[in-house]
Amino acid sequence: MREPTVVAADATGAADYFQTYSVVGLLAVVGVLFVAVAFGAGRLLRPVVPTPEKLLTYECGVDPVGEGWAHTQVRYYVYAFLYVIFAVDSIFLFPWATVFAAPGYGATTLVEMFVFLGFLAVGLLYAYRKGVLAWT
């Protein structure tokens, strides 16, 4: 006699489980329809007057001159990469400071953070040895 109530409770739990996913699915469908209607309305309402000037390739309003290939300095990407590394470092240091103050986590967090800072120091030393940090 006890098994049917358990099965009924499991069926109700499964129905609730799938009902929450149906709400997510319904919201996804509404979102897709909203975007489709917006794009369709834009396509119907916009004027279509192609001219040679509109079909010309341009960059920032400047007419293209020469070939499409251009040399790019790689060092700017390296500076951006170094910035990202140290930005991530600062993101990890703030939570570390809050966990370090919690009782029972002091020594473990201290060791983990010094290992992390050691990896960053090795990366910075590597960049320095390669001459990446020399501004020319």
Side-chain angles (χ1 to χ4, degrees):
M1 190 102 186
R2 189 155 174 94
E3 287 183 27
T5 56
V6 171
V7 172
D10 287 340
T12 305
D16 290 339
Y17 178 76
F18 288 116
Q19 182 180 7
T20 57
Y21 276 110
S22 65
V23 171
V24 171
L26 179 66
L27 283 174
V29 168
V30 168
V32 168
L33 285 175
F34 181 76
V35 170
V37 167
F39 275 117
R43 187 176 185 95
L44 290 174
L45 296 175
R46 72 174 178 236
V48 180
V49 185
T51 61
E53 290 83 17
K54 288 183 180 179
L55 297 176
L56 182 68
T57 304
Y58 68 95
E59 172 106 15
C60 299
V62 179
D63 291 335
V65 177
E67 297 182 21
W69 294 97
H71 295 285
T72 305
Q73 295 287 339
V74 177
R75 68 173 177 241
Y76 299 122
Y77 293 110
V78 174
Y79 291 131
F81 185 66
L82 287 172
Y83 169 75
V84 168
I85 288 174
F86 289 105
V88 168
D89 175 36
S90 65
I91 288 171
F92 280 126
L93 283 176
F94 288 116
W96 169 76
T98 59
V99 171
F100 183 70
Y105 291 105
T108 305
T109 357
L110 186 65
V111 169
E112 289 175 353
M113 189 47 65
F114 275 115
V115 168
F116 178 71
L117 290 174
F119 280 119
L120 287 175
V122 167
L124 183 61
L125 182 65
Y126 176 77
Y128 177 75
R129 293 274 186 180
K130 285 293 202 177
V132 172
L133 302 177
W135 192 264
T136 57

